[in-house]
Amino acid sequence: MKTIFEEHEAGRGTAYLPSRKVDLGAYLPAGEIREELPLPELSEVQAVRHFTGLSRRNYGVDNGFYPLGSCTMKYNPKINEDTARLAGFAQVHPYQPEATVQGALQLMWELQRDLGEITGMDAVSLQPAAGAHGELTGILIVRGYHESRGDAKRTQVIVPDSAHGTNPATAAMAGFEVVHVPSDERGGVDVEALRQLASEKTAALMLTNPNTLGVFDERIAEIAEIIHAAGGLLYYDGANLNAVLGHSRPGDMGFDIVHLNLHKTFSTPHGGGGPGAGPVGVKAHLKDFLPMPIVTMENGQFHLSYAAPHSIGQMRSFYGNFGVLVRAYTYIRALGGAGLREVADDAVLNANYVLSLIKDHFELPFDRIPKHEFVVAPPEDLVRQKGVKTLDIAKRLLDYDFHPPTVYFPLIVHEAMMIEPTETETKETLKAFADTLCQIVDEGRENPDYVKTAPHNTVVGRLDEARAVKQPRLLERLGG
Amino acid sequence: MRFTPHTEEDRREMLRQIGASSVEELFSDLPQSVRLDRSLKLPEGLSESEVARLLSDLAARDLDMGQYVSFLGAGAYDRYIPSAVGELLRRSEFYTAYTPYQPEISQGTLQAIFEFQSLIAALTGLDIAQASLYDGATAVAEAAMLAWGQTGRERIVVARSVDPQYRAVLRTYAHGRGLEVLELPLRDGRAGAEDIAGAAEGAACVIVQHPNFFGLLEDVDSLVKATHEKGALYIAVADPISLAVLRPPGAYGADVAVGEGQGLGIAASFGGPYLGFMAVRQEYLRRLPGRIVGETADKDGKRGYVLTFQTREQHIRREKATSNICTNQGLMALAATIYTTLLGPDGLRQAAALSVEGAHRLGDGIGKVQGAELAFSGPYAAEVALRSRASVGDVQGAMLKAGMLGPLDLERFYPELPGHMLLSVTEKRTSEEIGKLLDVLQGVEA
Ligand SMILES: Cc1ncc(COP(=O)(O)O)c(C=O)c1O
């Protein structure tokens, strides 16, 4: 497809604003006024067709099955899109007086309360814009907490080797040294190794549970005890909360701080790379460290409160990705507590169902009851003898109109494929996907080259990623 | 409501296939001690019609900028958004997709980001732009981290005339990395180049917003010169609409340009989701935070786009990554791309020009109001900072009564500016509305 720069034709633009001529020279110093503005001009029809055309070269949950592990690509209810666009939410300025935004503040206050109940936490901030931003908020809270106690020697954050990349990156951004704890043969934290690593230098342990292998760390109580006994805090990466909604809460597992990904667990759309929202919940002893402001209620009136003596400060402008919060709130109200528990039930049922259908065709690094997702690898003979790898299987899935699973993550599993069906898929879809995966393994044995050169039915074939770095072309300018 | 499709029969069959007797059995590895032995205390689930009603009742408790005429700005603007923007953003192939990890079925998102990067580079006059950051405030903080990474220097200098929220977020991030933040004082509402010599000694960067938080034009040429004399990076904070009419950061010597892209077709939405952007000179490419899209080809030579230069990012570099950012503001970058494409150079210029014109109509009028005056001297763009005899609360109250929103109380962020307030004008404000605001001001001051 052409780019907007290639479609440019001077004079084609549509007027959206009053055409009154303005003499800028009357208001701004001549030397400050910009002469050239090299932006493309398209007619509205051209622009609409251009972006509609782009949308058709995309694949979302509404197009089909999207079992992208760790990302919880569940269906995004359409009612959420309508509620977020209500004028009383979308057309509200963040600096409006509190008295004129009581609806928005009430929604935030209730969402803080409900997310606290869902996670077992005592206080919640809705400010963080995504999961990683929630992590940074949480680890800065860790830092603030130890500093407030004059405990300056806690310089380390422990992260499992199965952790998502944002965990170590976050710990570094918050000024900590990252210490890796290995996984044991059951896929959980190696508790003996953890015991060795935990010390008076430990600021926190960051953990995902169920973890990135999709298995629940059964020794969580012991892990919590080790970290707490060493004087550290326990941080919960909530990316996988979908698996345990209503069954088990991070607060009850011993965690002190948690972030959620509303764009995973709470059905807000991922937007092709955001916006998300990453609210952070804490236990009572950390409440005063939360970023400001928090929404409070007094006599039925809602306020933005900036009164937190130890607050880590502000994490972003204003109060959070409010439009995303409206969607998550809508979802929680629609489902209620029982509905949320059913989400976890079916997310876990679906993962186990797909696993049961494919397990004879794939390698299973950890043979356990998975929760909402699981990790497999292609059979050894396929990889070794035929040279068909995880990437090839993923690309071949595109030809069958499925989004592939997450690949090559977690890093501790060779040729990893991480499959997360989510709860919103039918049995028939799951079966069709499982059958296709098995069929691709057979194809790989019979005709490896065909699988290795997949996809064959997409708008472009496999793209040369090395060339993108060697001959970088990162933008286009008008006139080429 | 539920979005789980299984019938009881489905569940039975699936369990049979799995070899489990119940769904509970699939949770049997959760230790008793960590299980929730009660139901979640949440309101009962509702039908769609009930939820729709609940939410519209809540929304109705807010005053909105459709009913009320807004003179609030200061980082979030009530701008006109063409209908086509909203329409196209609801293409669910866009909004229900994840980050484009599988390029062959994500060319739509990828090309749109490539176009976004191109537009931001054109607007800022810099060499490269990345795919988006959370918002303007975190973009400022990330730019400071880039400068720290580049120079190894642990002092960040920021003008006090930069949006107070951006400075607050900068302090939060800087504290994490153990960096010092120094502010350049206000000199008649602006940064003074004479203050840089002392402050920027050993500094990684100097951060200046232009037009600044009060809408004033900064003396960027001397600020850039003073900054570079100290070997620090100059980080320009810019409003993208203003860039349609003002000399861009690339032209006046900035090394990095960051800003808030909300004005480019994104609803005010009580503060988010918005759009942070960052553009840099070529030499800082490998220090950029977040996603970057590049052009390449498949084996048949067909053009396509991919996420690239990923060795900067958390999923590969982990604790050595340039930032921890993963999910960013993709859909908002798409909104900005669509908006900018629709408006084109003339439309963008007109949005900026009408805003500047309206602000000056207001500013000139304020000069004639007894008891009120412009807070600072010198050229300004589309915000008007004023000082008044009447209290900010009285002005807000009178405006609200007249069906208007504003102004922002500046003392809240600047204790040294009691009785100061900020009004903003966009292309949506008519001369009648501005005239009415002047009448209201005249009325409160009297
Ligand atoms: C386990 C885990 N942790 C953290 C994150 C980061 O979340 P986000 O992309 O919202 O920043 C993700 C998602 O990408 C994840 O899967």
Side-chain angles (χ1 to χ4, degrees):
Chain A
M1 258 184 74
K2 284 186 177 175
T3 65
I4 46 176
F5 293 86
E6 290 163 344
E7 295 208 36
H8 160 81
E9 192 62 58
R12 283 237 174 104
T14 307
Y16 294 94
L17 303 174
S19 57
R20 189 168 68 249
K21 183 108 189 72
V22 177
D23 176 17
L24 275 176
Y27 311 120
L28 303 172
E32 293 301 330
I33 299 175
R34 184 172 191 162
E35 299 297 333
E36 40 65 67
L37 187 59
L39 298 177
E41 282 183 67
L42 277 69
S43 72
E44 177 163 321
V45 187
Q46 274 181 299
V48 166
R49 288 205 182 125
H50 175 78
F51 291 103
T52 303
L54 287 185
S55 77
R56 296 177 63 184
R57 296 160 76 89
N58 234 33
Y59 186 101
V61 174
D62 286 2
N63 295 89
F65 188 47
Y66 216 121
L68 190 65
S70 207
C71 302
T72 313
M73 294 299 282
K74 61 172 72 181
Y75 175 68
N76 310 130
K78 301 309 162 197
I79 176 79
N80 298 355
E81 297 305 309
D82 283 344
T83 56
R85 285 169 174 87
L86 288 165
F89 295 141
Q91 303 304 325
V92 172
H93 195 283
Y95 281 132
Q96 280 182 218
E98 281 177 0
T100 70
V101 291
Q102 285 296 300
L105 292 177
Q106 181 177 342
L107 182 147
M108 291 176 67
W109 185 82
E110 288 184 22
L111 187 59
Q112 287 173 187
R113 183 197 60 194
D114 293 353
L115 294 178
E117 164 66 7
I118 290 167
T119 55
M121 292 287 158
D122 300 311
V124 172
S125 163
L126 302 173
Q127 202 171 72
H133 203 219
E135 290 175 38
L136 183 58
T137 305
I139 300 302
L140 287 172
I141 289 172
V142 167
R143 193 182 166 115
Y145 170 76
H146 293 308
E147 278 173 359
S148 77
R149 296 157 50 95
D151 196 350
K153 59 189 179 305
R154 298 195 178 270
T155 53
Q156 300 180 338
V157 167
I158 306 177
V159 171
D161 57 2
S162 61
H164 193 261
T166 51
N167 292 183
T170 295
M173 268 178 100
F176 290 103
E177 176 196 345
V178 178
V179 176
H180 296 277
V181 59
S183 303
D184 66 13
E185 69 289 347
R186 288 180 56 74
V189 170
D190 182 333
V191 174
E192 295 323 309
L194 183 67
R195 232 183 272 286
Q196 299 302 314
L197 291 173
S199 73
E200 75 289 343
K201 284 185 169 178
T202 304
L205 167 70
M206 299 180 85
L207 206 64
T208 314
N209 197 22
N211 65 18
T212 60
L213 296 161
V215 301
F216 193 86
D217 218 313
E218 305 140 319
R219 299 176 76 178
I220 182 60
E222 230 178 315
I223 292 168
E225 204 184 294
I226 293 169
I227 295 302
H228 286 151
L233 296 171
L234 209 59
Y235 183 88
Y236 185 85
D237 177 334
N240 292 345
L241 188 74
N242 209 47
V244 291
L245 282 173
H247 286 266
S248 179
R249 308 184 305 169
D252 303 331
M253 297 179 207
F255 287 92
D256 304 290
I257 310 172
V258 41
H259 89 255
L260 301 173
N261 299 61
L262 299 188
H263 46 301
K264 296 181 179 178
T265 314
F266 295 94
S267 86
T268 75
H270 202 274
V280 166
V282 294
K283 288 279 180 62
H285 63 292
L286 298 173
K287 186 170 181 287
D288 288 345
F289 296 90
L290 283 172
M292 295 180 293
I294 295 286
V295 183
T296 56
M297 182 181 67
E298 252 171 83
N299 307 322
Q301 286 295 108
F302 298 91
H303 306 284
L304 289 163
S305 166
Y306 292 84
H310 295 293
S311 171
I312 58 164
Q314 209 178 324
M315 286 303 295
R316 52 159 295 161
S317 289
F318 305 116
Y319 327 119
N321 276 344
F322 179 72
V324 178
L325 305 178
V326 175
R327 290 172 173 88
Y329 175 92
T330 306
Y331 180 72
I332 292 171
R333 284 292 165 274
L335 268 67
L340 288 177
R341 192 181 155 104
E342 188 180 84
V343 162
D345 285 348
D346 284 350
V348 171
L349 177 67
N350 289 359
N352 277 277
Y353 179 64
V354 175
L355 176 61
S356 73
L357 294 170
I358 69 166
K359 70 186 206 190
D360 294 338
H361 290 74
F362 286 83
E363 301 284 333
L364 271 169
F366 302 96
D367 192 7
R368 298 207 18 204
I369 307 174
K371 296 277 91 55
H372 65 306
E373 67 190 2
F374 60 90
V375 176
V376 293
E380 286 249 354
D381 69 292
L382 193 66
V383 180
R384 292 259 163 99
Q385 290 158 32
K386 306 286 180 181
V388 175
K389 302 205 163 113
T390 287
L391 185 69
D392 305 314
I393 296 175
K395 296 302 180 195
R396 184 68 182 132
L397 274 167
L398 301 175
D399 288 334
Y400 293 98
D401 220 17
F402 288 114
H403 195 288
T406 292
V407 293
Y408 300 102
F409 175 73
L411 307 178
I412 56 168
V413 175
H414 195 58
E415 295 291 322
M417 287 178 67
M418 185 195 232
I419 300 174
E420 180 180 13
T422 83
E423 72 280 4
T424 54
E425 300 299 328
T426 62
K427 180 166 136 285
E428 292 73 25
T429 301
L430 301 174
K431 177 82 165 62
F433 172 74
D435 289 349
T436 304
L437 263 183
C438 299
Q439 185 187 327
I440 293 172
V441 169
D442 292 342
E443 282 179 2
R445 292 203 174 99
E446 284 151 26
N447 191 354
D449 285 341
Y450 196 66
V451 176
K452 282 193 269 186
T453 51
H456 303 285
N457 304 335
T458 45
V459 291
V460 287
R462 245 185 247 201
L463 290 161
D464 186 349
E465 297 196 9
R467 174 178 145 165
V469 175
K470 269 187 257 143
Q471 303 166 40
R473 183 169 152 81
L474 306 177
L475 55 84
E476 184 165 356
R477 299 211 188 258
L478 214 53
Chain B
M1 278 182 99
R2 54 189 282 243
F3 301 97
T4 44
H6 298 327
T7 63
E8 275 319 305
E9 179 56 28
D10 288 336
R11 287 203 177 90
R12 261 197 304 279
E13 273 179 41
M14 291 166 79
L15 284 166
R16 196 177 314 127
Q17 162 69 29
I18 294 164
S21 57
S22 67
V23 170
E24 267 315 299
E25 195 182 320
L26 302 176
F27 288 86
S28 59
D29 53 345
L30 269 59
Q32 276 309 327
S33 67
V34 304
R35 288 193 192 215
L36 183 66
D37 54 8
R38 58 168 176 84
S39 315
L40 287 172
K41 290 188 194 114
L42 295 175
E44 288 277 312
L46 300 171
S47 65
E48 184 168 305
S49 67
E50 290 167 312
V51 181
R53 179 61 192 265
L54 177 75
L55 272 289
S56 52
D57 285 352
L58 263 182
R61 297 190 61 197
D62 296 337
L63 298 188
D64 68 71
M65 296 191 290
Q67 314 158 263
Y68 281 69
V69 174
S70 174
F71 285 95
L72 284 170
Y77 299 92
D78 178 30
R79 296 200 175 278
Y80 182 73
I81 305 176
S83 299
V85 177
E87 188 82 13
L88 289 164
L89 277 189
R90 283 194 84 146
R91 296 285 306 188
S92 68
E93 298 90 335
F94 284 133
Y95 80 76
T96 71
Y98 202 75
T99 299
Y101 290 148
Q102 295 290 338
E104 299 85 352
I105 53 165
S106 311
Q107 285 300 302
T109 294
L110 286 162
Q111 184 173 331
I113 298 173
F114 179 84
E115 291 174 353
F116 172 75
Q117 292 172 180
S118 305
L119 294 172
I120 293 297
L123 278 169
T124 57
L126 281 161
D127 301 328
I128 5 171
Q130 52 83 271
S132 80
L133 295 161
Y134 302 133
D135 67 355
T138 61
V140 167
E142 290 278 12
M145 298 306 126
L146 180 153
W148 163 72
Q150 174 68 23
T151 61
R153 299 177 177 184
E154 299 191 333
R155 173 183 283 187
I156 307 294
V157 176
V158 61
R160 198 162 160 72
S161 50
V162 169
D163 188 317
Q165 299 213 37
Y166 299 4
R167 284 182 286 121
V169 174
L170 172 67
R171 277 193 295 273
T172 309
Y173 274 58
H175 184 70
R177 291 283 194 193
L179 309 182
E180 174 199 17
V181 178
L182 254 183
E183 288 191 353
L184 299 175
L186 291 184
R187 293 189 181 266
D188 192 16
R190 293 176 179 75
E194 64 270 35
D195 294 318
I196 289 185
E201 198 63 58
C205 59
V206 174
I207 307 172
V208 180
Q209 185 173 358
H210 168 72
N212 70 23
F213 185 64
F214 309 112
L216 306 171
L217 303 197
E218 295 276 0
D219 183 3
V220 288
D221 293 312
S222 25
L223 294 167
V224 168
K225 187 158 170 281
T227 300
H228 285 161
E229 271 165 15
K230 292 291 163 191
L233 270 63
Y234 187 91
I235 296 174
V237 185
D239 168 63
I241 295 286
S242 79
L243 291 179
V245 295
L246 288 176
R247 210 153 48 106
Y252 60 74
D255 301 288
V256 180
V258 288
E260 173 54 68
Q262 179 267 335
L264 298 174
I266 298 166
S269 200
F270 201 45
Y274 288 175
L275 168 67
F277 66 84
M278 183 184 292
V280 295
R281 296 200 179 283
Q282 182 69 37
E283 60 256 49
Y284 306 126
L285 163 63
R286 284 172 194 273
R287 295 207 177 270
L288 277 172
R291 315 291 186 193
I292 300 175
V293 169
E295 187 184 305
T296 184
D298 68 9
K299 60 180 182 316
D300 301 324
K302 213 187 229 178
R303 179 169 75 185
Y305 302 90
V306 291
L307 293 174
T308 190
F309 288 96
Q310 298 191 68
T311 50
R312 303 163 294 107
E313 290 188 69
Q314 45 76 28
H315 59 287
I316 297 180
R317 283 300 285 284
R318 299 177 78 83
E319 59 266 36
K320 297 209 169 56
T322 54
S323 167
N324 69 342
I325 193 167
C326 181
T327 293
N328 44 103
Q329 299 285 116
L331 198 70
M332 305 293 102
L334 176 66
T337 306
I338 298 170
Y339 172 88
T340 308
T341 303
L342 288 167
L343 265 80
D346 294 343
L348 221 58
R349 256 196 224 106
Q350 190 67 359
L354 290 173
S355 306
V356 171
E357 181 190 55
H360 283 79
R361 190 167 284 160
L362 178 62
D364 293 349
I366 285 169
K368 298 188 193 101
V369 173
Q370 277 285 327
E373 59 183 335
L374 293 189
F376 310 107
S377 58
Y380 61 97
E383 322 251 354
V384 183
L386 63 144
R387 181 169 42 224
S388 117
R389 207 163 47 199
S391 76
V392 181
D394 285 351
V395 176
Q396 286 171 337
M399 282 181 68
L400 203 56
K401 224 164 158 189
M404 291 186 272
L405 294 167
L408 176 70
D409 181 358
L410 286 172
E411 188 183 358
R412 188 177 146 191
F413 299 113
Y414 296 92
E416 69 268 41
L417 298 178
H420 287 61
M421 54 199 101
L422 192 67
L423 291 162
S424 303
V425 181
T426 68
E427 74 283 0
K428 273 176 87 169
R429 297 292 72 89
T430 63
S431 7
E432 292 73 45
E433 289 166 348
I434 292 166
K436 191 168 157 197
L437 170 57
L438 286 168
D439 290 345
V440 170
L441 289 175
Q442 188 78 63
V444 227
E445 297 296 346

